[in-house]
Amino acid sequence: MSQSTEIAPMAAGNPDRLTGLRTFWYYFSVNRGAVIGLFVFVLLVLAALFAPLLAPYAPDIQDKTAFLRPPAWQAGGSSQYLLGTDPVGRDILSRLLYGARFSLLIGAVVVSLALIGGITLGLLAGYFRGWVDVAIMRVMDLILAFPSLLLALVMVTILGPGLFNAMLAIALVLQPHFARLVRAAVMAEKSREYVVAAKVAGAGHLRLMLRTILPNCLGPLIVQGTLSFSNAILEAAALGFLGLGAQPPTPEWGTMLASAREFILRAWWVVTFPGLAILITVLAINLIGDGLRDALDPKLRRS
């Protein structure tokens, strides 16, 4: 009898979870742009994962007989290099596929760091209020007062050029957005009945913040994290273009643009394809963010 009574609630919870997923997918799939963005993003992830299998060549292999060879469909092109070669004879298609790994890794690392820091600071500020709130929010306001790319440039200049330092700088720049979002959500949830009940039941501050309040703030964080993912890729590409992000010969899309900018007039493909890769990736992620906002925001559901 005891086993059946313990299994029943678990079995009853699964249909609710499935219903929630179906509801989420329904509102997400209504946005056609979000579905297209998700499809493109999945293709990008698969291309990044299977780059060693899909790429015709290693990203750093040079062909001294094929400098600035045009794409295969253009006069002078070759089927060996479908998208042409760069100024030192490296296959652009292979470098784009391997570059997807770096760009997606940058987005994932930056958003993870910004989430950890932003959630921690936002929870502390919104829960304890007082001087803790004032101190944290003034620092966040100070960071937001500077243009994000300019602040990232200053930080990378201080830390030194490199991919890891660029990711740290971008994460710091994006952190205030998460901190302010979490703070506002915590302030709204803190006075609700379920939080008061948990406090009366003897829950400590850490449990209240992490187990009781934070799970109810995840919806806006997911949307912000998606949009910040695209911002991280874009700003990392900008830093790479300026020579402060990933360093050659790393096949990062911004670095590819930087190394090819002097050939833009006589070899359009060396800048067009990396630029298109950045554009398509950022656009796809932003479309996914719009779909997540529609699916997770109850107000938009009712409308």
Side-chain angles (χ1 to χ4, degrees):
M1 292 296 290
S2 61
Q3 293 182 350
S4 61
T5 57
E6 291 178 0
I7 294 174
M10 295 175 61
N14 290 332
D16 294 337
R17 184 175 300 176
L18 291 175
T19 302
L21 290 174
R22 291 193 190 100
T23 303
F24 167 81
W25 177 249
Y26 170 77
Y27 284 102
F28 182 86
S29 60
V30 167
N31 190 328
R32 297 294 179 84
V35 176
I36 295 173
L38 180 62
F39 177 74
V40 172
F41 184 72
V42 170
L43 288 181
L44 287 169
V45 172
L46 292 176
L49 290 175
F50 297 103
L53 300 177
L54 297 175
Y57 307 96
D60 54 350
I61 287 184
Q62 302 179 14
D63 185 352
K64 297 182 179 180
T65 64
F67 294 154
L68 291 177
R69 180 163 292 181
W73 62 85
Q74 188 171 326
S78 170
S79 59
Q80 288 182 313
Y81 306 106
L82 294 179
L83 299 184
T85 60
D86 65 4
V88 292
R90 295 172 297 196
D91 181 49
I92 291 179
L93 175 59
S94 301
R95 290 180 65 78
L96 287 176
L97 290 172
Y98 279 91
R101 288 184 159 190
F102 286 95
S103 293
L104 295 178
L105 176 64
I106 288 168
V109 172
V110 167
V111 171
S112 298
L113 293 175
L115 266 173
I116 294 172
I119 288 176
T120 302
L121 296 175
L123 280 173
L124 294 174
Y127 185 84
F128 291 108
R129 301 302 303 276
W131 68 268
V132 176
D133 182 24
V134 172
I136 292 175
M137 285 301 104
R138 294 301 76 80
V139 174
M140 298 298 103
D141 291 340
L142 182 63
I143 295 175
L144 289 173
F146 293 92
S148 59
L149 185 56
L150 177 61
L151 185 58
L153 279 171
V154 172
M155 286 200 57
V156 174
T157 304
I158 295 173
L159 296 174
L163 184 58
F164 181 73
N165 291 340
M167 289 191 291
L168 286 179
I170 299 170
L172 179 66
V173 169
L174 296 178
Q175 183 176 269
H177 300 285
F178 293 99
R180 293 173 68 90
L181 192 63
V182 172
R183 172 183 177 268
V186 170
M187 289 171 58
E189 298 290 329
K190 185 179 176 182
S191 59
R192 296 185 182 273
E193 289 83 357
Y194 72 93
V195 178
V196 176
K199 188 181 298 184
V200 171
H205 295 307
L206 195 61
R207 181 179 180 85
L208 283 173
M209 287 190 290
L210 298 180
R211 298 289 299 275
T212 307
I213 298 177
L214 182 59
N216 293 285
C217 308
L218 293 181
L221 282 175
I222 293 173
V223 177
Q224 182 62 42
T226 306
L227 299 177
S228 296
F229 197 102
S230 63
N231 289 336
I233 293 175
L234 197 58
E235 293 192 6
L239 291 175
F241 181 78
L242 296 173
L244 296 174
Q247 300 298 300
T250 304
E252 194 268 329
W253 293 336
T255 306
M256 291 174 65
L257 284 173
S259 61
R261 57 189 169 189
E262 59 184 294
F263 303 96
I264 186 172
L265 295 179
R266 62 189 180 98
W268 60 268
W269 56 91
V270 294
V271 292
T272 300
F273 293 125
L276 282 176
I278 296 171
L279 172 65
I280 292 171
T281 303
V282 171
L283 180 60
I285 296 172
N286 285 340
L287 289 174
I288 294 173
D290 290 340
L292 290 173
R293 182 196 58 196
D294 296 343
L296 295 173
D297 192 336
K299 296 179 181 178
L300 294 176
R301 288 184 182 183
R302 287 196 295 269
S303 62

